[in-house]
């Protein structure tokens, strides 16, 4: 199941899950205190040992640090100043990792040695993963398909299975997880759902990847329109003025950028990636507007310091040497 989280066939969910049939509704969740554990005093970030990362489950640039964060099934990894780092404890199985200005928002399952409720629900950390504030669904659900605006309170997520709190479908919260409402996605001419992206500063702007291309919204997902060719899109991410997206086409993986001023698409040159190694995540550094990172299904990780003109390989097949 973990390996399948990143492959396109699993990333793209059937629209028949019920989201389009839902009517607008709000759901209340309890605002819980921060989660603390007995391991917190031992939580330290150290230089990483040689290891094999089994699953890349998200990447991003939190605003309270300068490094690139990688979330995995075995905790956080950090690439900073040319060195990989890891944590000494609290190695949670992270899913739906989203970098925000104050830190990051994430879901998943806690470390087996942690006293945090399982599953995590949706939580937020402002101290590089040493502790968390519960935002929603603590102990009841986890959300691999989760996105948050970098400098807004808006959160989107796909609820894959009906629960006591929510029907299956796509939801948004405009108050950092306190209440939830369904997302209509009117105009979605696709039979699948995929990854969601939220604009870093404008809460009304979001986008979704599908097997039929990229669908764009300026009203928080109430209506969407196709803004790319009908390609099999696998990942996407906003910068302040652009939307980057990756797709599989003509037996290879490609990446493009949509300029908001003109809404024109332009090709981004990336290292060669075969069709069986699609891009699974794209991350943009909202503090620089030129730094990007991409990860792939076969656990390669690349970073660019010039908006995609040049790329540096940080990981090959998930191996930290």
């Amino acid at each position: 199941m973990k390996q399948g989280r990143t492959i396109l066939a699993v990333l793209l969910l059937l629209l028949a899950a019920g989201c389009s049939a839902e009517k607008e509704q709000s759901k209340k969740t309890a605002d819980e205190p921060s989660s603390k554990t007995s391991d917190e005093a031992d939580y330290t970030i150290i230089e990483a040992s040689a290891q094999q990362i089994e699953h890349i489950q998200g990447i991003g640039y939190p605003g309270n640090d300068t490094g690139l964060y990688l979330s995995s099934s075995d905790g956080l990894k950090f690439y900073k100043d040319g060195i990989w780092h890891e944590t000494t404890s609290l190695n949670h199985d992270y899913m739906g990792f989203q970098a925000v200005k104050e830190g990051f928002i994430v879901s998943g399952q806690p470390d087996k040695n942690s006293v945090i409720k399982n599953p995590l629900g949706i939580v937020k950390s402002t101290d590089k993963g040493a502790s968390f504030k519960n935002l929603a669904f603590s102990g009841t659900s986890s959300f691999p398909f989760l996105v948050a605006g970098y400098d807004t309170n808006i959160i989107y997520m796909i609820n894959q299975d009906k629960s006591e709190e929510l029907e299956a479908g796509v939801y948004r919260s405009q108050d950092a997880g306190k209440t939830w409402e369904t997302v209509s996605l009117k105009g979605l001419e696709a039979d699948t759902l995929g990854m969601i992206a939220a604009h870093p500063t404008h809460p009304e702007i979001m986008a979704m990847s599908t097997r039929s291309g990229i669908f764009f919204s300026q009203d928080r997902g109430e209506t969407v329109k196709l803004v790319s060719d009908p390609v099999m899109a696998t990942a996407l991410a906003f910068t302040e003025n652009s939307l980057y997206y990756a797709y599989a086409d003509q037996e290879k993986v490609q990446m493009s950028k949509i300029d908001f001023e003109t809404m024109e698409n332009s090709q981004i040159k990336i290292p060669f990636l075969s069709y069986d190694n699609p891009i699974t995540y794209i991350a943009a550094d909202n503090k620089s507007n030129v730094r990007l990172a991409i990860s792939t299904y076969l656990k390669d990780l690349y970073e660019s310091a010039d908006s995609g003109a040049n790329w540096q390989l940080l990981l090959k097949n998930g191996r930290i040497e």
Side-chain angles (χ1 to χ4, degrees):
M1 177 61 182
K2 289 179 181 176
Q3 184 71 0
R5 290 177 190 149
T6 53
I7 194 167
L8 178 63
V10 176
L11 288 177
L12 301 172
L13 306 176
L14 292 177
L15 188 58
C19 64
S20 60
E22 292 288 335
K23 293 182 179 180
E24 193 79 1
Q25 59 180 322
S26 293
K27 301 288 185 179
K28 293 286 184 179
T29 59
D31 189 13
E32 299 182 25
S34 298
S35 297
K36 303 287 185 178
T37 79
S38 58
D39 292 328
E40 196 171 316
D42 299 324
Y43 185 89
T44 305
I45 297 174
I46 61 173
E47 185 171 342
S49 59
Q51 61 188 273
Q52 176 68 52
I53 296 174
E54 295 300 326
H55 308 286
I56 296 177
Q57 298 180 168
I59 55 175
Y61 295 96
N64 64 344
D65 201 355
T66 59
L68 172 61
Y69 283 42
L70 181 153
S71 73
S72 76
S73 54
D74 186 34
L76 292 173
K77 315 298 175 185
F78 314 84
Y79 187 79
K80 189 173 181 179
D81 300 325
I83 299 173
W84 277 103
H85 299 80
E86 62 184 348
T87 60
T88 55
S89 62
L90 304 182
N91 293 313
H92 307 307
D93 179 2
Y94 287 109
M95 290 181 273
F97 179 89
Q98 287 294 304
V100 295
K101 188 174 183 178
E102 302 88 359
F104 62 87
I105 292 172
V106 76
S107 187
Q109 280 85 40
D111 186 302
K112 63 182 180 180
N113 297 316
S114 174
V115 298
I116 297 176
K117 288 182 180 179
N118 186 15
L120 292 176
I122 301 175
V123 297
K124 181 177 183 178
S125 177
T126 57
D127 54 10
K128 305 177 184 180
S131 65
F132 295 95
K133 177 182 179 181
N134 295 320
L135 301 183
F137 310 113
S138 174
T140 63
S141 301
S142 61
F143 304 97
F145 303 94
L146 178 68
V147 66
Y150 176 82
D151 199 20
T152 70
N153 285 322
I154 200 161
I155 302 173
Y156 293 91
M157 61 87 165
I158 299 177
N159 189 41
Q160 296 175 263
D161 300 304
K162 180 179 179 180
S163 66
E164 292 183 4
E165 296 96 343
L166 299 174
E167 298 289 328
V170 182
Y171 292 85
R172 66 171 173 260
S173 172
Q174 301 185 72
D175 52 15
K178 293 182 177 66
T179 60
W180 295 87
E181 54 197 5
T182 54
V183 179
S184 297
L185 297 174
K186 295 175 183 177
L188 184 67
E189 299 175 352
D191 61 356
T192 61
L193 301 177
M195 305 297 286
I196 304 171
H199 192 277
T201 60
H202 297 290
E204 70 276 9
I205 298 177
M206 59 87 72
M208 175 176 283
S209 64
T210 76
R211 285 190 304 207
S212 301
I214 298 294
F215 286 83
F216 179 81
S217 174
Q218 297 184 79
D219 57 10
R220 296 171 172 84
E222 288 305 291
T223 61
V224 297
K225 64 178 180 179
L226 184 66
V227 291
S228 73
D229 290 334
V231 292
M232 186 178 291
T234 61
L236 71 173
F238 282 102
T239 62
E240 186 65 28
N241 300 311
S242 305
L243 174 63
Y244 289 83
Y245 67 96
Y247 58 99
D249 183 45
Q250 298 178 352
E251 299 303 315
K252 67 177 182 178
V253 175
Q254 302 197 56
M255 186 170 170
S256 289
K257 179 179 74 170
I258 299 173
D259 183 280
F260 290 157
E261 184 175 344
T262 63
M263 293 307 291
E264 292 182 352
N265 280 255
S266 58
Q267 197 78 14
I268 302 298
K269 184 178 180 181
I270 60 172
F272 174 79
L273 297 170
S274 61
Y275 194 80
D276 63 350
N277 191 26
I279 292 173
T280 51
Y281 298 102
I282 304 172
D285 184 352
N286 288 285
K287 299 188 298 296
S288 75
N289 284 322
V290 295
R291 190 160 64 145
L292 299 170
I294 56 175
S295 65
T296 75
Y297 175 63
L298 296 180
K299 295 169 290 193
D300 299 332
L301 179 66
Y302 293 88
E303 186 177 48
S304 172
D306 50 17
S307 301
N310 298 280
W311 296 90
Q312 177 187 3
L313 180 64
L314 305 185
L315 281 181
K316 181 66 175 176
N317 300 130
R319 183 69 188 172
I320 295 177
E321 300 294 346

